[in-house]
Amino acid sequence: MKRLGILLSGRGSNFLAIASSVAAGELPAEIAIVISNRGEARGISAARERGLLAAVVPSRGREREEHESEVVSLLQQRQVDLVCLAGYMRLLSPQFVRAFPHRILNIHPSLLPAFPGLEAQRQALDYGARVTGCTVHFVDEHLDHGPIILQQAVPVLESDDLAALSSRILEQEHIAYPEAIRRVLGGGWTIEGRRVVFQR
Amino acid sequence: MKRLGILLSGRGSNFLAIASSVAAGELPAEIAIVISNRGEARGISAARERGLLAAVVPSRGREREEHESEVVSLLQQRQVDLVCLAGYMRLLSPQFVRAFPHRILNIHPSLLPAFPGLEAQRQALDYGARVTGCTVHFVDEHLDHGPIILQQAVPVLESDDLAALSSRILEQEHIAYPEAIRRVLGGGWTIEGRRVVFQR
């Protein structure tokens, strides 16, 4: 059974989608730890309600290196195979990324390389995009940049405002993230250039 | 009946899709002129075979201003309502764009703003994108940049090479371009910021 570590900063709706997928037996994995950098994160209480190990490692007012090494150390203690960022509002340092080579995933609410960074849904609306979506990718040292595992398109409707579009993208995120984890854990893939190539 | 002017440099497969759509009565428009900057463009002979007025305005070895003013003058003589770029391998000058405000369309084989410029399909493959597509947009003074009328997503398959992906995108282009022209000619739209807003 593969072991997942989840990092979040907020409500962790993608964490809940992953947890449900695990509970339903759709993902051959277990959640070994949930870590938040914010004590008040709703994802932490949700994890505890589900009987999962949840830890708060506060980032505020601390050196990044010190904070990160504590997080890395917790993930390693829990022998995590895959780290899943689920609304984790911090950029990982190159040192963090190197500690888990091709073993950190993130989800982003656009079809990368379009609309990286904050407020991707608003960026898509402002740009007048007619199609946007979500992307699950390996995390590298650059923001919203690593090799892509899965993308799901979401049309922008004439009637869409920010809330409606964000909510339709989020629905797809909740499907895409567990599916991407399943594919990565299934193995049989290599990375060529920046392409993830699945052999099976 | 609205009048279309088509600009092309090669085989003009999107021109043929537009012409078929017109012939089938799906587009309430007629093709008033087809102009190529290359004498050997297959789109020109195809236009003549269909009984359409086709003109070659050579660009090679001429000043851009001189070439463009001849093209603009032909389009105006033919009282064109909408200019459709269909594989026209030249950037239009700001003067050209201003001569037809919000009346020039282009199609690009990616979901803009991703993969602008040449070889968009190869860019998508090299980036490892899982979803790409095509975009019909108004032409402004910047490359592959104006307000978007329509986008169509196309999945990148595990088995795709450049030819296979390009061909699946092209199929969608041939559907998207006539549909976008139909929407623009239908009226009832405004441009807000860089969004095309359809009221009906």
Side-chain angles (χ1 to χ4, degrees):
Chain A
M1 200 68 126
K2 297 287 187 173
R3 296 168 66 79
L4 308 180
I6 311 274
L7 304 192
L8 51 79
S9 302
R11 62 184 168 157
S13 83
N14 274 304
F15 149 59
L16 294 174
I18 295 165
S20 298
S21 200
V22 166
E26 295 156 6
L27 250 184
E30 57 193 319
I31 295 176
I33 189 166
V34 178
I35 302 174
S36 168
N37 63 315
R38 292 183 183 154
E40 70 276 21
R42 271 159 53 199
I44 287 294
S45 44
R48 290 186 175 137
E49 280 161 26
R50 288 175 176 244
L52 298 171
L53 180 65
V56 175
V57 182
S59 57
R60 187 168 291 173
R62 296 172 76 194
E63 293 290 334
R64 177 156 98 162
E65 200 178 321
E66 183 192 329
H67 172 258
E68 275 199 347
S69 70
E70 192 174 336
V71 173
V72 168
S73 158
L74 270 174
L75 292 168
Q76 287 171 338
Q77 279 171 40
R78 295 294 295 163
Q79 299 181 288
V80 156
D81 296 294
L82 202 60
V83 179
C84 302
L85 310 188
Y88 189 61
M89 299 306 284
R90 293 178 64 80
L91 246 183
L92 304 186
S93 72
Q95 289 72 26
F96 194 128
V97 173
R98 267 182 242 126
F100 297 93
H102 293 142
R103 292 196 289 140
I104 310 175
L105 305 189
N106 185 37
I107 190 159
H108 182 80
S110 77
L111 295 176
L112 293 171
F115 315 124
L118 291 176
E119 301 204 72
Q121 304 95 331
R122 182 187 296 278
Q123 289 183 56
L125 277 178
D126 290 350
Y127 193 85
R130 299 277 165 183
V131 176
T132 183
C134 61
T135 301
V136 186
H137 63 93
F138 286 109
V139 170
D140 67 10
E141 301 166 20
H142 306 286
L143 179 68
D144 301 330
H145 180 266
I148 291 171
I149 297 147
L150 195 155
Q151 294 185 302
Q152 179 62 48
V154 174
V156 180
L157 305 181
E158 205 60 47
S159 57
D160 268 342
D161 58 12
L162 182 60
L165 177 61
S166 300
S167 150
R168 285 208 327 290
I169 294 173
L170 195 60
E171 269 176 45
Q172 294 304 314
E173 291 178 48
H174 294 168
I175 299 167
Y177 211 164
E179 172 61 19
I181 295 169
R182 204 186 54 73
R183 290 192 199 174
V184 168
L185 293 181
W189 50 268
T190 52
I191 296 186
E192 299 175 6
R194 52 164 294 128
R195 299 175 69 176
V196 185
V197 178
F198 288 84
Q199 265 83 35
R200 23 170 136 154
Chain B
M1 200 67 125
K2 297 289 186 173
R3 296 168 65 80
L4 308 179
I6 311 274
L7 303 192
L8 52 78
S9 301
R11 61 185 169 157
S13 82
N14 274 304
F15 149 59
L16 294 175
I18 294 164
S20 299
S21 199
V22 166
E26 295 157 5
L27 249 185
E30 58 193 316
I31 295 176
I33 190 165
V34 178
I35 302 175
S36 169
N37 63 316
R38 292 183 183 154
E40 69 277 21
R42 272 159 53 199
I44 287 294
S45 44
R48 289 184 176 136
E49 280 161 24
R50 287 175 175 245
L52 298 172
L53 180 65
V56 175
V57 182
S59 56
R60 187 169 291 173
R62 296 173 76 194
E63 294 290 334
R64 175 156 100 162
E65 199 178 324
E66 184 193 330
H67 173 258
E68 275 199 349
S69 69
E70 193 175 335
V71 173
V72 168
S73 156
L74 271 173
L75 292 168
Q76 288 171 337
Q77 278 171 41
R78 297 294 294 164
Q79 298 181 288
V80 156
D81 297 293
L82 202 61
V83 178
C84 302
L85 309 188
Y88 189 60
M89 299 304 285
R90 292 178 64 81
L91 246 184
L92 304 185
S93 72
Q95 289 73 27
F96 194 128
V97 173
R98 267 183 241 125
F100 298 94
H102 292 142
R103 291 195 289 139
I104 310 176
L105 304 189
N106 185 38
I107 189 158
H108 182 79
S110 77
L111 295 176
L112 292 171
F115 315 125
L118 291 176
E119 301 203 71
Q121 303 94 333
R122 182 187 296 280
Q123 290 184 56
L125 277 178
D126 289 351
Y127 193 84
R130 300 277 163 182
V131 176
T132 181
C134 61
T135 301
V136 186
H137 63 94
F138 287 109
V139 171
D140 66 11
E141 301 165 20
H142 307 284
L143 180 68
D144 301 329
H145 179 266
I148 292 171
I149 299 147
L150 195 154
Q151 293 185 303
Q152 179 62 48
V154 173
V156 180
L157 305 180
E158 206 58 47
S159 58
D160 268 343
D161 58 13
L162 182 60
L165 177 61
S166 300
S167 148
R168 284 210 327 290
I169 294 173
L170 196 60
E171 269 177 44
Q172 293 305 315
E173 292 179 47
H174 294 168
I175 299 167
Y177 211 165
E179 172 61 20
I181 295 169
R182 202 184 56 71
R183 289 192 201 175
V184 168
L185 293 180
W189 50 267
T190 51
I191 296 186
E192 299 176 6
R194 51 163 295 130
R195 300 175 68 176
V196 185
V197 179
F198 287 85
Q199 264 82 36
R200 25 169 130 154

